Amino acid sequence: MTSATEPSTPATIAPFPPETIAAFLALCAGDWLALRSRFSLEEASDEARQAEEEEEVSWHSSERGELQVTYMAPEELDGPGGLEISPPSGGRHRLLFQPDGGFQGQAPDGAVSTGRWQLWPDGSLELSSERAGTSVRERIWFTKANLRLRSSVEHLPDGRPGRASFSSEIRRVSRPAG
């Protein structure tokens, strides 16, 4: 018999990195401070590149922001659930995950996308989707429970890379009372 004051055993502590898609999605919930860098990878002609230089248009941009991510409990008993992502600019993006490796996304403008997810043995989640011939592959992973990294690469219909991004996100945590 164990007493209520005994410390938790390792079996009652959630493993890190997460070992299931439901555990991964639950770990994503929270308020995040993000630094995101975006890159345009399209090969521009010399004329287009010269025009960009004259207009001071850059192939790279970085921005800080905040994200609020809410875990949505599964509607089905064996379902992994979903995420609702709310950037400060407004709008909500929803991702609903199915146990068979599929997911459905809904953008703030109502556009619906579908794709596939895979949780890798290293605890990273890979999302692959396609829309109008353009494919996007995104990888999300945690280095610590409160530090999440994301990278994405877009490929154009002809196979050339289009855009890429990298984000580092730190979870906002509050100090314990006392």
Side-chain angles (χ1 to χ4, degrees), residues 67-89:
L67 289 175
Q68 181 180 31
V69 180
T70 304
Y71 174 68
M72 299 177 348
E75 294 178 5
E76 301 166 10
L77 185 59
D78 65 341
L83 296 175
E84 184 174 81
I85 300 108
S86 303
S89 59

Side-chain angles (χ1 to χ4, degrees), residues 44-128:
S45 68
D46 289 336
E47 292 172 6
R49 193 166 295 153
Q50 184 178 1
E52 284 181 358
E53 290 171 2
E54 289 172 7
E55 294 178 21
E56 296 184 28
V57 175
S58 176
W59 61 274
H60 170 263
S61 66
S62 290
E63 61 188 25
R64 291 180 193 220
E66 295 186 27
L67 289 175
Q68 181 180 31
V69 180
T70 304
Y71 174 68
M72 299 177 348
E75 294 178 5
E76 301 166 10
L77 185 59
D78 65 341
L83 296 175
E84 184 174 81
I85 300 108
S86 303
S89 59
R92 290 188 175 123
H93 190 97
R94 289 181 170 219
L95 292 172
L96 301 174
F97 292 78
Q98 286 95 40
D100 66 357
F103 74 87
Q104 182 175 15
Q106 183 174 8
D109 65 2
V112 175
S113 62
T114 60
R116 304 289 304 162
W117 64 264
Q118 182 169 358
L119 188 63
W120 291 95
D122 65 2
S124 64
L125 177 64
E126 185 174 305
L127 304 174
S128 302

